[in-house]
Amino acid sequence: MRTLNDRKTFILKWNPAISSVNLEDWDFWVAKKDFLVPNWSVYEHEKVDIGDEWYMLRVGEGVTGIVGHGTFCSNPQKAGDWSGQGKVRYYSELCILDLMPHSEPMITTEILAKCIPNCDWRGGHSGVKLPNIDIERLDNLRSNYYDQH
């Protein structure tokens, strides 16, 4: 049985300007989230286990911040490169708990940078493990969001 000390959280990053998932696709995901099990590439795939948490962070232009949350419902599997560059990619299926409209993040990048300054909230790889010390901080930000909404 896993304990809180075993818990892992990953930050998935979505830049609609370069992603295979565009804004229209995201709107579809939000509308059908209870019926979807999409997959997403995970940079630190060797660290992911079924049941680990993920947060989807919209990056790039426009309103940025956390727009999704859930758990991994599969171990990462090697598959084709979403970007078409021929790189080796590993994808995990996502069990969706929350998805926000792309223009209404539950936690903005500015708040994340202020409250959890050790992470790169504006760029970097998708699927990087959040340091354990920061998991509780992110949980508190999410809890505060739900209390206010």
Side-chain angles (χ1 to χ4, degrees), residues 7 11 55 57 65-66 69 98 105-117 119 121 130 133-149:
R7 192 170 136 216
I11 304 302
Y55 283 89
L57 177 69
I66 299 291
H69 172 246
D98 298 303
M106 69 172 77
I107 308 165
T108 65
T109 305
E110 291 76 22
I111 292 171
L112 290 164
K114 180 180 176 185
C115 296
I116 309 172
C119 295
W121 297 108
L130 187 67
I133 192 168
D134 294 325
I135 293 173
E136 187 174 350
R137 292 177 185 153
L138 186 52
D139 286 345
N140 289 336
L141 289 172
R142 184 186 62 177
S143 179
N144 290 339
Y145 172 83
Y146 287 127
D147 289 348
Q148 296 172 9
H149 297 87

Side-chain angles (χ1 to χ4, degrees), residues 50-95:
I50 293 172
D52 287 342
E53 281 188 288
W54 56 265
Y55 283 89
M56 183 68 70
L57 177 69
R58 179 180 174 181
V59 297
E61 299 297 319
V63 180
T64 60
I66 299 291
V67 293
H69 172 246
T71 60
F72 292 105
C73 48
S74 77
N75 287 316
Q77 300 294 317
K78 187 177 178 180
D81 183 3
W82 63 266
S83 70
Q85 297 176 352
K87 295 181 181 179
V88 175
R89 305 281 184 177
Y90 288 82
Y91 300 82
S92 285
E93 291 181 338
L94 307 179
C95 295

